[in-house]
Every structure is written in C-alpha cells, then in structure tokens.
Amino acid sequence: MSGAGTPRTAERATLDKAADENFPVAPFFLPRAWRTDLMAVYGFARLVDDIGDGDLAPGGADARLLGAEGAGSAGGEDRIALLDAFEADLRRVFEGTPRHPLLQRLVPVVRRRALTPEPFLALIAANRQDQTIGRYETYEELRAYCALSADPVGRLVLAVTGTATPERIRLSDRICTALQIVEHLQDVAEDLARDRIYLPAEDLRRFRVEEADLKAPSANASVRALIAFEAARAHRLLDEGSPLVASVHGRLRLLLAGFVAGGRSALGAVAAASFDVLPGPPKPTKVRLLREVGATLRGEG
C-alpha cells in the first residue's frame, strides 16, 4: 500500500509506479516540458486508481492531504469518501489552490495546456463505478466503462502535446480502450480478489466459464479460449487505432508507437503463456517491446 509517511514520500511512491506500466509514460526522448506535464497527468491518474482500488494506507498522508483523515482502504464507503475529497481537490486545481502535491503539479499544466476538468472527472467517475459495479454483462458495457477509465488518458496526452483533432481523438480512444482491456486480461486474478470481473458475462456463458474457474491456480481450456477471444478483440482495437501513430511526427510519433507496442507486446506475452493468466500477469520482455515499437513505426500490424 502507498500513502503512508510524508506528503513528498507519498507523491514519490505514486510517481515511481510509472516504471511498472506496460507502456512508457514520459520517456527520456520527449521534450522536458512534455515529460513534466505527462508525469503530472500520470500522477493524477495513478493516485485516483490507487484510491479506487483501496491501495492507500488508511489514515495515510494522501487521506490527510485531502482532508479525509477518517477514510482509508477498508471498504467501498471509505473509498467513495476519499474520491469525493479527491474530486474537491481537483476542482481546486482550476482555482490554483489544491492541497495534494500531485494535484499541485497539475496547476501549471492546466494553465499552460488549457486543459478542462472533464477528462479528470471521467477518471474519478470510473473509480466511483468500481465501488458499486463489479460485473459487466456485455462487451459494449465494458467499453462504456473503458470510455471513463482509459480513453481520457489518451485525450490528455493529445491535449498536452497540442495535437488533438476529432479524428486523432477517435483513434486514441480505440488504443486506450484496447490497453485497458489488455490490463484486465493480465490482471484477472488480481481483479477477482477485489470482487471484480472485467470479462463480459455474456462471453463467460458463451465459453462455458464459471466464476469458480477464474479462482483456480491455472486456467482450464475454456478459460484459455475466453482469454484468447478477448485478446483478439483488444488486438483489433489496437489495429484500428494504430493509424494515429502515422498521423503525427517526430518524438510524439515514437511515444504513441510505444503505447501501441506496449499493448501488442503485452498481448504477445499473454499468448506466449498459452492464455493462462491466472497464475499472475504475463509480462512482455523489453526485447519484445522494442521489436513491437519498430513494427508499429513501420506500419506493420
């Protein structure tokens, strides 16, 4: 759990999680101003997810900074209280007076890039939804959730880099939804421990998978077939969104290729594990990631 200790320790613990993501968050080759702003956006997104997942230490520095000392990670009501306090501090960002150091980082970004509250509020809404909804009946319902939990991140990247257009936003949404689905596939066991299943119920029935099957130490043939089916969907979304990479130039093109390649290499790791994700999240190697970056830059699917 994070959130204990001093405010700066809590801030650093959140930002350090960037190294564990499937894709580069703010790689060294970007201009310093972009890296600074993207890390500020990442800090917000990571912290709101930590609150929603109950990964903050009860009564820790984050809760104190948000004025929610009595809230923690014990249950959904506490998490909603923290999310409410977090939203209040987000609104203070647009007034220039937030309390939390991670949100203080956002103040100059919001001003410099003319960002609006909507994508940030969507990420908070997704985590509120996680407190009350742990199952999704259809693929379309899951995609609607991803529109809150993932798509705003891509929109913020485009806004920070000054490259947002309606068509790029449409393509970015495909990529971000795909990346969210990939993460769900990697984290089936971890999500189930939180009483969440991000595999559509209609697909579980189609492949004759019971929830009990997802609690096994290793996936049976039906579960593997289900994961392969969902992985193919995510791959198609990545392919649909990949023209975004060719629509930009320079270092931004390399960054966006890294996002697409991160998803493709993670899917490759899932396939290499014979779609058995239950023992733990299959992780791609750096070699696989670099190979996928090259293929994406060349426009290879």
Side-chain angles (χ1 to χ4, degrees), residues 164-180:
T165 66
E167 176 62 9
R168 285 178 179 147
I169 289 171
R170 185 185 73 81
L171 296 172
S172 172
D173 287 351
R174 297 286 199 283
I175 293 169
C176 290
T177 290
L179 293 176
Q180 180 74 90

Side-chain angles (χ1 to χ4, degrees), residues 89-90 92-101 103-105 107:
D89 210 32
L90 168 67
R92 284 190 285 270
V93 167
F94 293 86
E95 301 166 357
T97 59
R99 300 171 181 170
H100 198 289
L103 294 184
Q104 290 167 6
R105 283 174 171 257
V107 173

Side-chain angles (χ1 to χ4, degrees), residues 3 10 33 63 67 72 74 83 89 91 125 142 157 166 175 182 197 214 218-219 234 243 257 262 278-280 285-286:
L83 288 169
D89 210 32
R91 294 187 184 279
L142 181 65
V157 170
I175 293 169
V182 171
I197 297 177
L214 302 178
S218 183
L278 299 187
T285 64
K286 289 185 177 179

Side-chain angles (χ1 to χ4, degrees), residues 135 188-197 209-220 223 278-279:
R135 307 290 188 276
V188 168
E190 180 182 330
D191 290 334
L192 189 57
R194 295 187 171 109
D195 195 28
R196 301 175 190 165
I197 297 177
V209 171
E210 303 289 339
E211 288 194 16
D213 296 326
L214 302 178
K215 298 177 182 178
S218 183
N220 62 27
V223 172
L278 299 187

